[in-house]
């Protein structure tokens, strides 16, 4: 177990280093002169020189990379060129919207998908199964931002149950804040729930075809008992993998969905930064999101070990 | 007293008939052996008793188990019967256990589903069941997971689960087919002892007549979903009437006729060969370990000779085969063929002289190629494919007993036995001098196996071949080789003339192997 | 065969039919748009802006009076081209990488390829697009590259895992005995036996590509005006959603139906090819 964890920790560290290097290369080395890139073609030579000085471009890329990573380790993401405020503060303001949104969506999709997948698998071939599978087919095919727009049309504009956009803020209390995140979270969760339902169902059906299920039935367990006691935990392993992978899609999806609902999250921040050519902010936000994805997958790896004794063996 | 009576059982799956008028009976304390080749319906008969049939299966007829009409029972009533009145053991112990639960919990579950007892009490009785299955918790803690046990040990866990509630009937479906011969003998002994001590009835299903003949009181022979013949074991073997049963018996103790030729020059010379595999670090920050798969192996293969190599799975015989074929490097010693060292720089022309036939007739061919291209693949070893290659393929196909028009068909159109003939044709297309047969008949049904053995015996004379015959099956090796090597844990522990080794084994391990191998008594022995 | 199984089989059979039909309709529309569209999509007709569906404009007009049907036809071109090229990039690079990794399983090459794959998985296509756009500005090519890069590990992984199980087959051993090297075996024996897998995954990545392209153009990271694209049409419609809901509904339906069609085709192909694969390649 310890060995497995150390191995995973090592690979986590390597992933983070390589990912940060890739981001740094893409945004600060590939463009040649980031300062020129940020200021555009009409920039004054003095302004350019000042920005180069500010970005420390006179030093080599390795030193700048080391500074950047070193800064992030202590929570210093640099200063936004356009807003003249520390990037870490801007991110902190936005994370409290984006992270709850992603988690809300993850919770919704998991809570819907796992029971639905189990239900469909337990009644394979029945009307229930066909119905659930048909719905997931639709759920997978719907572009979530379009689904979000339709929900705005129905629930905000026509029924007026929700506001069409904006964020109430956590100062207004948890209730109103969650209320304004509900439509975005549902939109975000829908395709993920559809995928997860399908994975849950097929993983469960695969497991139900295994030899040890027959052994369990030969002991006198009913179909239901074999499903709950033997099949489910085994089927959870592929499902966990998908949940881990989905987190990266949720993050990407959240960036788009925030646009539909005008939510002041990381997504809006990054688009503002792109139009302002504020590379520092883009770099930091991308790194943060990649960091989140890598961390989630690390946690999933650890969960495997909790579920599967074959990984726990201290070999 | 009759425990189980199956009476004119018909079964179909989605209307496709699988079983026809199957009748048999098992009494308390009795072992009934059900014999048949693949597709005979023997496993389906067993699953019918438990009513654990595939979806779409439908049974008619009568199955009476301990006074209950199985076919009229509701599903909840069947759940009460399974595990309590009848236990079942399956073929594949590696996958028969839930990988995520401890063995103790899995055995205790049988008790917990059927009786209102506390968990502690169930665990106590599970310990008892494991002890009866010769897996005492003192040595094999119940907190172990299946992956920490060997195949034979896992099969004991499955048996413990099946006998935990002391059922009246135990059904064992090929319980030892996936196991090595010594483990097989141990498991069969265990089953025999359990029947004797607990007065259970045992329905033992097997493809291997020798296994069943050794153990059973009654024998039932099945073919194509029907019972062909049945009767008391000792009597039936001498009084078979049905041609199929007789053919089965003949094939089971088949002795191919082989040309006798005085072996001459040494073709293959294996000297002190060592093959190590690097394994992952042992313990924490220790250095790399190594596993010695083949240790100081030496032997010679002479022209016209048939040499057997026997050993259990994992003894290193496959590694040795690959090394001889030049597919693996060796860490010590040397393999010389036709006077040259096998390995880097071994000329292709000489490589053509050593060919091989593998075990699995289904995995041996690229499903997307036609037979002509498959058989012609070894021509790659020649500078150019000869112009008359199709003629040569046709000729070699004829030689192995296939029609030449098989050339333009895909491999999935052929049966297992036909595929093995095609595999032999591929091996012979370059007219090699040495043919390595790596478990080449192990996956075949017994009647097909006899045909292939005959074919190999004939081809040896026609092609002037030397065979290296690798197998875990002693009876096959005994029937077709002149000399034999016995391999254990990477080493050759004994070698000599086949007859001599089998009659008077010198090494302990050889003795154990021979004693464990199920063997059909000869007619003379049965009479005695 | 029970009634239930018959229904299931029929549903499956029909899924391929419906899927192929939908796919054909939208590919057809994209091809036709090269030669003809009901209206010129660059012609503005402010007098007829935001008209509801009517015989003259079956799907209505947008806020500049452009015909929505024509725009959807041209948009199909963008979507399909972007997704198709992205699948091409993914297959073209991913399949050889996967084959190489499997052929040298456990080697440094395998390790590097697989770790590289893991890394790319941490960058959703959107993040790649954001980075490219931040440096080079937005364009449809960015979308292709971003989606294409994300496709590479998908195909590499699939190819590797399919190939690994094939490398244990005896026919590979037989080919090695016949003196064939890893590259030759990969091409002659492995690749033909993973094509079914690749076809099915290709359809799925194609549909995911269409979704991703729509998302990217919606947030302005994909095709730029005047190139019409479904995502941009939706972005333009957003502020007018309460006035002209048809501007939102039809482009979204186009995306939904195309993706649905491709997914149904993929599922149908899987059912069609899988049993064959299982029977032949066991």
């Amino acid at each position: 177990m310890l060995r497995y964890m150390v191995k995973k920790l090592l690979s986590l560290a390597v992933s983070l280093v390589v990912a940060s290097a890739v981001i740094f290369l893409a945004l600060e080395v590939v463009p040649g002169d980031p300062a020129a890139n940020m200021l555009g073609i009409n920039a004054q030579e003095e302004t350019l020189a000042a920005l180069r000085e500010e970005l420390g471009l006179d030093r080599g890329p390795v030193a700048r990379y080391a500074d950047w990573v070193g800064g992030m380790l202590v929570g210093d993401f640099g200063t936004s060129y356009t807003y003249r405020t520390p990037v870490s503060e801007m991110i902190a303001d936005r994370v409290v919207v984006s992270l709850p949104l992603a988690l809300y969506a993850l919770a919704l999709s998991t809570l819907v998908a796992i029971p639905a997948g189990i239900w469909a698998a337990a009644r394979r071939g029945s009307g229930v199964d066909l119905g659930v599978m048909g719905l997931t087919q639709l759920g997978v095919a719907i572009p979530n931002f379009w689904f979000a727009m339709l929900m705005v049309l129905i629930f905000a504009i026509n029924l007026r149950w929700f506001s069409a956009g904006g964020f109430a803020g956590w100062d207004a209390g948890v209730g109103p804040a969650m209320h304004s995140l509900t439509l975005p979270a549902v939109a975000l969760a829908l395709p993920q729930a559809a995928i997860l339902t399908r994975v849950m169902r097929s993983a469960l059906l695969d497991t139900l075809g295994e030899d040890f299920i027959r052994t369990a039935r030969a002991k006198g367990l009913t179909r239901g008992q074999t499903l709950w006691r033997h099949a489910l935990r085994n089927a959870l392993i592929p499902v966990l993998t998908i949940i881990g992978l989905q987190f990266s899609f949720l993050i990407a999806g959240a960036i788009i969905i925030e646009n539909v609902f005008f939510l002041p999250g990381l997504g809006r921040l990054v688009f503002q930064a792109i139009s302002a050519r504020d590379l520092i902010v883009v770099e930091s936000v991308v790194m943060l999101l990649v960091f989140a994805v890598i961390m989630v997958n690390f946690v999933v790896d650890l969960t495997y070990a909790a579920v599967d004794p074959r990984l726990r063996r201290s070999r | 007293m009759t425990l189980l009576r199956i009476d004119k059982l018909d079964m179909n799956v989605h209307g496709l008939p699988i079983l026809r008028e199957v009748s048999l009976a098992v009494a308390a304390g009795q072992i009934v052996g059900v014999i048949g080749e693949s597709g005979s319906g023997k496993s389906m008969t067993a699953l019918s008793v438990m009513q654990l049939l595939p979806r779409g299966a439908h049974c008619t007829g009568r199955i009476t188990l301990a006074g209950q009409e199985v076919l009229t029972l509701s599903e909840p009533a069947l759940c009460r019967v399974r595990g309590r009145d009848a236990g079942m053991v399956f073929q594949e112990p590696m996958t028969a256990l839930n990988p995520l639960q401890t063995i103790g919990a899995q055995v205790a579950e049988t008790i917990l589903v059927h009786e209102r007892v506390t968990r502690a009490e169930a665990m106590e009785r599970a310990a008892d069941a494991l002890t009866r299955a010769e897996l005492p918790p003192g040595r094999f803690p119940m907190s172990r997971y299946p992956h920490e046990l060997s195949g034979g040990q896992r099969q004991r866990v499955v048996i413990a689960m099946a006998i935990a509630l002391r059922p009246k009937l135990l059904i064992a479906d090929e319980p030892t087919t996936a196991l090595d011969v010594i483990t097989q003998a141990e498991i069969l002994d265990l089953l025999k002892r359990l029947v004797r001590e607990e007065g259970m009835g045992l329905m033992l299903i097997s493809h291997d007549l020798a296994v069943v003949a050794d153990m059973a009181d009654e024998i039932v022979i099945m073919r194509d979903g029907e019972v062909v013949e049945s009767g008391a074991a000792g009597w039936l073997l001498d009084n078979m009437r049905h041609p199929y049963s007789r053919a089965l018996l003949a094939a089971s103790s088949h002795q191919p006729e082989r040309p006798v030729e005085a072996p001459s020059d040494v073709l293959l010379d294996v000297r002190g060969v060592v093959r190590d595999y690097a394994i992952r670090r042992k313990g924490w920050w220790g250095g790399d370990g190594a596993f010695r798969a083949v240790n100081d192996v030496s032997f010679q293969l002479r022209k016209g000779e048939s040499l057997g190599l026997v050993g259990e799975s994992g003894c290193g015989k496959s590694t040795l085969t690959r090394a001889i074929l030049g597919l693996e490097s060796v860490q010590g010693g040397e393999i010389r063929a036709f006077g040259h060292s096998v390995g880097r720089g071994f000329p292709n022309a000489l490589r053509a002289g050593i060919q091989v036939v593998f075990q699995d007739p289904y995995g041996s061919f690229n499903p997307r190629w036609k037979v002509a291209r498959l058989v012609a693949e070894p021509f790659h070893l020649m500078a150019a494919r000869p112009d008359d290659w199709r003629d040569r393929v046709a000729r070699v196909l004829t030689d192995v007993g296939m029609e030449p028009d098989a050339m333009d068909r895909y491999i999935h159109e052929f049966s297992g036995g036909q595929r093995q003939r095609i595999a032999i044709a591929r091996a012979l297309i370059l007219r090699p001098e040495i043919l390595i047969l790596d478990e080449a008949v192990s996956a075949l049904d017994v009647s097909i196996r006899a045909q292939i053995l005959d074919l190999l015996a004939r081809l040896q004379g026609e092609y002037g071949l030397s065979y290296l015959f690798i197998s875990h099956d002693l009876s096959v090796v005994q029937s077709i080789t002149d000399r034999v090597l016995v391999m254990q844990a990477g080493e050759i522990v004994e070698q000599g003339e086949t007859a001599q080794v089998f009659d008077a084994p010198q090494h302990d391990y050889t003795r154990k192997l021979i004693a464990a191998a199920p063997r059909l008594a000869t007619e003379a022995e049965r009479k005695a | 065969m029970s009634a239930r199984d018959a229904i299931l089989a029929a549903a499956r059979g029909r899924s391929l039919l419906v899927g192929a039909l939908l796919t054909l309709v939208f590919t057809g529309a994209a091809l036709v748009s090269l030669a003809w569209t009901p209206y010129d999509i660059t012609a503005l007709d402010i007098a007829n802006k935001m008209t509801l569906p009517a015989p003259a404009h079956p799907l209505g007009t947008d806020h500049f009076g452009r015909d929505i049907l024509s725009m959807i036809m041209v948009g199909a071109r963008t979507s399909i081209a972007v997704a198709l090229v992205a699948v091409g990039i993914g297959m073209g690079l991913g399949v050889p990488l996967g084959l190489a990794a499997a052929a040298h399983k456990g080697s440094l090459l395998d390790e590097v390829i697989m770790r590289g794959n893991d890394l790319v998985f941490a960058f959703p296509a959107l993040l790649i697009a954001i980075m490219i756009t931040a440096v080079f500005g937005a364009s449809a090519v960015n979308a292709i590259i971003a989606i294409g890069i994300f496709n590479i590990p998908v195909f590499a992984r699939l190819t590797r895992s399919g190939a690994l199980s094939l490398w244990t087959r005896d026919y590979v051993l037989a080919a090695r005995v016949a003196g064939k090297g890893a590259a030759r075996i990969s091409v002659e024996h492995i690749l033909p036996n993973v094509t079914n897998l690749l076809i099915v995954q290709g359809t799925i990545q194609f549909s995911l590509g269409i979704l991703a392209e729509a998302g990217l153009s919606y947030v302005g990271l994909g095709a730029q005006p005047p190139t019409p694209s479904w995502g941009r049409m939706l972005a333009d419609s957003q502020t007018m959603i309460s006035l002209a809901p048809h501007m939102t509904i039809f482009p979204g339906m186009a995306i939904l139906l195309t993706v649905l069609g491709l997914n149904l085709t993929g599922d149908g192909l899987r059912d069609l090819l899988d049993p064959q694969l299982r029977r032949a390649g066991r």
Side-chain angles (χ1 to χ4, degrees):
Chain A
M1 178 70 179
L2 210 60
R3 227 193 121 87
Y4 176 81
M5 274 180 64
V6 169
K7 223 180 116 188
K8 289 292 161 196
L9 262 172
L10 273 176
S11 95
L12 169 75
V14 172
S15 301
L16 287 176
V17 169
V18 179
S20 59
V22 167
I23 293 169
F24 184 81
L25 272 173
L27 294 173
E28 292 211 26
V29 179
V30 171
D33 184 356
N37 202 299
M38 284 168 73
L39 295 176
I41 37 171
N42 300 324
Q44 304 276 320
E45 193 48 47
E46 302 92 84
T47 343
L48 267 177
L51 180 58
R52 286 203 193 102
E53 165 101 47
E54 189 188 327
L55 295 175
L57 291 184
D58 45 332
R59 289 174 311 135
V62 177
R64 279 188 288 141
Y65 171 71
D67 275 0
W68 178 53
V69 172
M72 282 193 297
L73 286 178
V74 295
D76 174 12
F77 287 80
T79 308
S80 158
Y81 183 71
T82 33
Y83 295 94
R84 291 285 154 201
T85 43
V87 177
S88 51
E89 280 176 22
M90 297 169 70
I91 288 179
D93 284 349
R94 309 303 186 101
V95 157
V96 294
V97 179
S98 293
L99 187 65
L101 174 60
L103 292 178
Y104 193 178
L106 187 66
L108 279 180
S109 86
T110 313
L111 286 178
V112 171
I114 288 185
I118 296 173
W119 195 28
R123 295 170 191 272
R124 172 171 46 153
S126 69
V128 167
D129 187 19
L130 283 178
V132 169
M133 291 314 283
L135 281 179
T136 61
Q137 197 63 267
L138 272 182
V140 172
I142 281 189
N144 56 9
F145 60 93
W146 179 62
F147 181 63
M149 291 164 79
L150 292 185
M151 283 201 301
V152 168
L153 186 62
I154 297 168
F155 296 109
I157 296 175
N158 287 332
L159 295 175
R160 299 188 178 278
W161 291 353
F162 294 89
S163 67
F167 181 57
W170 293 104
D171 297 339
V174 174
M178 293 295 275
H179 191 253
S180 48
L181 289 182
T182 297
L183 284 188
V186 170
L188 205 47
L190 176 84
Q192 308 304 331
I195 294 170
L196 202 57
T197 305
R198 294 174 83 90
V199 171
M200 181 75 232
R201 174 182 178 272
S202 74
L204 202 51
L205 287 181
D206 284 351
T207 315
L208 285 172
E210 297 267 2
D211 281 356
F212 64 81
I213 295 297
R214 195 177 51 181
T215 314
R217 293 275 286 143
K219 282 197 273 193
L221 271 74
T222 62
R223 269 180 212 287
Q225 284 170 325
T226 22
L227 192 137
W228 290 107
R229 295 190 197 172
H230 292 277
L232 203 54
R233 224 175 117 200
N234 278 282
L236 230 46
I237 294 172
V239 171
L240 271 176
T241 313
I242 299 299
I243 292 182
L245 279 179
Q246 280 195 333
F247 196 76
S248 78
F249 288 103
L250 278 178
I251 282 181
I255 293 178
I256 295 181
I257 291 295
E258 282 170 11
N259 254 30
V260 181
F261 291 95
F262 307 103
L263 291 175
L266 290 171
R268 303 281 297 165
L269 177 64
V270 87
F271 288 118
Q272 285 157 4
I274 287 177
S275 24
R277 298 190 160 244
D278 195 337
L279 284 189
I280 314 275
V281 174
V282 174
E283 191 176 62
S284 307
V285 175
V286 170
M287 185 62 224
L288 188 74
L289 296 179
V290 169
F291 173 77
V293 172
I294 293 177
M295 279 313 287
V296 166
N297 283 300
F298 173 68
V299 173
V300 167
D301 278 342
L302 293 192
T303 325
Y304 281 154
V307 175
D308 193 340
R310 283 165 294 190
L311 291 176
R312 255 181 268 153
R313 115 176 88 171
S314 51
R315 206 173 47 130
Chain B
M1 187 199 103
T2 306
L3 259 181
L4 169 71
R5 177 176 294 283
I6 301 177
D7 207 13
K8 296 207 164 141
L9 175 68
D10 281 329
M11 196 269 283
N12 64 65
V13 178
H14 295 306
L16 184 78
I18 304 288
L19 299 177
R20 267 179 303 247
E21 301 216 344
V22 171
S23 298
L24 60 87
V26 182
Q30 189 187 39
I31 301 180
V32 173
V34 181
I35 301 281
E37 297 186 304
S38 45
S40 64
K42 53 193 195 302
S43 294
M44 285 299 166
T45 308
L47 292 173
S48 300
V49 176
M50 300 295 275
Q51 284 295 296
L52 288 176
L53 291 164
R55 290 161 77 88
H58 180 72
C59 294
T60 50
R62 279 178 70 175
I63 300 175
T64 319
L65 174 63
Q68 302 164 91
E69 290 297 329
V70 171
L71 294 183
T72 62
L73 291 179
S74 65
E75 178 61 27
L78 282 169
C79 285
R80 286 191 291 276
V81 169
R82 294 184 199 122
R84 195 192 59 193
D85 295 332
M88 186 153 179
V89 179
F90 300 95
Q91 173 172 352
E92 203 28 88
M94 301 313 274
T95 52
L97 295 169
N98 183 343
L100 305 186
Q101 274 186 10
T102 63
I103 59 170
Q106 293 189 58
V107 177
E109 190 176 37
T110 309
I111 300 152
L112 286 167
V113 218
H114 290 283
E115 293 179 16
R116 297 177 66 92
V117 292
T118 62
R119 205 166 166 79
E121 197 185 334
M123 285 307 265
E124 212 168 283
R125 285 170 63 186
D128 170 61
L130 282 164
T131 310
R132 283 190 285 144
E134 294 166 7
L135 212 58
R139 279 175 51 220
F140 303 93
M142 295 205 292
S143 56
R144 292 242 173 123
Y145 286 94
H147 70 264
E148 297 169 308
L149 301 178
S150 72
Q153 290 163 348
R154 292 188 205 188
Q155 197 63 305
R156 290 174 192 279
V157 176
V158 178
I159 292 174
M161 271 164 34
I163 61 166
L165 290 171
R166 297 183 184 269
K168 303 175 190 79
L169 177 71
L170 184 63
I171 300 174
D173 185 2
E174 303 264 14
T176 59
T177 307
L179 303 174
D180 275 326
V181 58
I182 292 178
T183 319
Q184 159 167 299
E186 289 167 3
I187 295 285
L188 291 175
D189 276 346
L190 168 66
L191 289 174
K192 225 186 304 189
R193 189 175 60 72
L194 287 169
V195 167
R196 201 172 54 233
E197 289 175 2
E198 310 197 354
M200 276 189 307
L202 173 64
M203 180 169 165
L204 178 68
I205 292 157
S206 178
H207 67 285
D208 189 340
L209 189 56
V211 163
V212 172
D214 250 11
M215 285 194 45
D217 305 308
E218 291 272 330
I219 290 183
V220 176
I221 299 173
M222 289 188 71
R223 179 204 191 186
D224 294 339
E226 288 178 275
V227 172
V228 169
E229 200 160 2
S230 62
W235 176 84
L236 186 69
L237 288 176
D238 292 322
N239 296 284
M240 286 182 173
R241 281 178 317 245
H242 197 283
Y244 176 75
S245 332
R246 287 193 195 173
L248 194 68
L249 181 64
S252 300
S253 45
H254 183 71
Q255 187 79 38
E257 283 194 33
R258 299 196 303 119
V260 184
E261 221 180 296
S264 48
D265 328 348
V266 173
L267 292 184
L268 179 70
D269 192 1
V270 176
R271 276 187 233 154
V273 163
V274 173
R275 172 72 175 118
D276 289 332
Y277 286 111
I279 48 176
R280 287 186 197 173
R281 266 198 316 262
K282 269 189 178 155
W284 268 90
W285 305 104
D288 281 346
F291 169 70
R292 185 150 288 190
V294 175
N295 187 12
D296 194 18
V297 164
S298 301
F299 67 87
Q300 292 182 328
L301 176 66
R302 288 171 183 279
K303 187 163 178 50
E305 185 181 38
S306 182
L307 178 64
L309 174 61
V310 294
E312 298 184 293
S313 54
C315 74
K317 51 191 200 301
S318 301
T319 309
L320 185 59
T321 316
R322 287 158 178 260
I324 293 171
L325 289 167
L327 302 179
E328 299 215 13
S329 57
V330 295
Q331 276 69 48
E334 192 183 20
I335 300 171
R336 294 181 77 81
F338 318 115
H340 279 72
S341 185
V342 172
R344 274 184 194 285
F346 190 59
N348 274 353
L350 294 184
R351 283 182 79 163
I354 313 177
Q355 292 295 313
V356 62
V357 178
F358 299 107
Q359 169 173 8
D360 180 9
Y362 293 90
S364 289
F365 303 97
N366 185 341
R368 304 198 168 257
W369 286 12
K370 286 184 175 160
V371 168
R373 191 174 174 200
L374 289 168
V375 172
E377 189 171 36
F379 282 131
H380 186 75
L381 285 170
M382 301 171 68
R385 194 159 68 173
D387 293 334
D388 64 338
W389 70 276
R390 283 187 68 90
D391 297 336
R392 294 206 202 184
V393 170
R395 212 173 314 140
V396 76
L397 281 173
T398 318
D399 284 349
V400 299
M402 299 287 293
E403 297 292 326
D405 62 10
M407 280 170 73
D408 296 311
R409 288 154 66 189
Y410 288 99
I411 198 68
H412 66 84
E413 300 175 46
F414 297 95
S415 69
Q418 288 172 320
R419 289 179 197 209
Q420 215 57 340
R421 285 175 193 266
I422 295 170
I424 294 171
R426 172 172 62 190
L428 293 181
I429 187 84
L430 295 177
R431 299 208 147 246
E433 293 190 73
I434 300 174
L435 190 57
I436 299 180
L437 299 153
D438 188 358
E439 301 274 5
V441 296
S442 303
L444 303 174
D445 274 330
V446 56
S447 51
I448 308 294
R449 169 186 305 182
Q451 291 167 15
I452 299 290
L453 287 174
D454 279 342
L455 172 69
L456 288 171
R458 175 167 67 75
L459 290 171
Q460 186 166 29
E462 288 176 16
Y463 278 71
L465 290 165
S466 306
Y467 286 151
L468 176 57
F469 204 102
I470 296 158
S471 181
H472 71 283
D473 186 331
L474 285 100
S475 66
V476 169
V477 170
Q478 191 177 11
S479 71
I480 198 165
T481 61
D482 308 306
R483 278 196 313 129
V484 66
L485 313 165
V486 181
M487 196 164 180
Q488 182 199 15
E491 295 182 36
I492 305 270
V493 296
E494 181 160 1
Q495 57 177 307
E497 303 284 322
T498 303
Q500 215 166 4
V501 171
F502 276 85
D503 288 343
Q506 299 299 307
H507 195 273
D508 270 355
Y509 178 71
T510 320
R511 279 193 213 115
K512 257 168 86 181
L513 263 187
I514 293 173
R519 201 173 65 90
L520 268 179
T522 60
E523 206 174 329
E525 284 169 335
R526 283 198 300 271
K527 295 264 161 62
Chain C
M1 195 186 276
S2 75
R4 197 162 62 182
D5 291 325
I7 293 170
L8 267 179
R12 275 207 205 97
R14 213 171 311 149
S15 91
L16 185 56
L17 189 73
V18 171
L21 213 68
L22 281 172
T23 311
L24 263 171
V25 165
F26 281 94
T27 345
L31 290 175
V32 168
S33 79
L34 289 169
W36 172 83
T37 49
Y39 291 84
D40 180 358
I41 56 151
T42 51
L44 309 186
D45 181 7
I46 305 294
N48 277 322
K49 69 173 186 178
M50 291 194 274
T51 55
L52 290 176
H57 295 279
L59 302 182
T61 60
D62 74 355
H63 52 302
F64 294 121
R66 294 176 295 185
D67 179 50
I68 289 183
L69 177 61
S70 306
M71 290 185 69
I72 284 179
M73 285 171 69
V74 181
R77 215 155 73 195
T78 315
S79 284
I80 290 173
V82 168
L84 209 56
V85 176
V87 169
I89 293 175
M91 274 199 187
L93 292 172
V95 172
L97 285 175
L99 285 176
H104 306 282
K105 187 195 172 214
S107 69
L108 189 66
L109 179 74
D110 181 26
E111 191 69 16
V112 168
I113 291 176
M114 290 323 285
R115 289 286 82 78
N117 270 332
D118 287 350
L119 192 72
V120 179
F121 262 126
F123 289 85
L126 187 71
L127 289 190
I128 303 179
I130 285 175
M131 291 200 294
I132 302 178
T133 310
V135 176
F136 299 107
S139 75
V141 177
N142 288 354
I144 293 179
I145 295 173
I147 302 167
I149 290 178
F150 193 71
N151 278 341
I152 296 172
V154 173
F155 284 103
R157 260 181 200 215
L158 181 76
T159 309
R160 179 176 177 272
S161 72
L164 277 184
S165 75
L166 294 175
W167 269 96
T168 64
R169 300 283 161 87
D170 282 345
Y171 61 76
V172 170
L173 218 50
R176 292 181 63 199
V177 172
K180 291 183 174 171
R184 197 183 189 98
I185 291 176
S186 293
V187 173
E188 288 189 357
H189 288 292
I190 309 292
L191 189 58
N193 285 298
V194 293
T195 40
N196 281 352
L197 285 176
L198 293 176
I199 290 171
V200 171
Q201 193 64 38
T203 349
I204 292 168
Q205 292 311 116
F206 190 10
S207 81
L208 287 176
I210 289 194
L211 276 177
E213 191 275 337
L216 290 178
S217 3
Y218 169 74
V219 289
L221 298 180
Q224 296 299 302
T227 315
S229 83
W230 294 341
R232 283 201 48 76
M233 290 170 75
L234 285 172
D236 291 343
S237 79
Q238 195 170 348
T239 45
M240 277 148 280
I241 190 163
S242 50
L243 298 172
H246 67 276
M247 277 175 65
T248 301
I249 289 168
F250 292 121
M253 288 299 285
I255 302 173
L256 170 67
L257 291 177
T258 312
V259 173
L260 187 66
L262 284 167
N263 285 344
L264 289 175
T265 310
D267 283 0
L269 282 178
R270 188 199 313 263
D271 288 337
L272 198 70
L273 299 176
D274 237 20
Q276 274 176 11
L277 207 62
R278 228 174 283 143
R279 198 172 54 228
R282 200 174 69 102

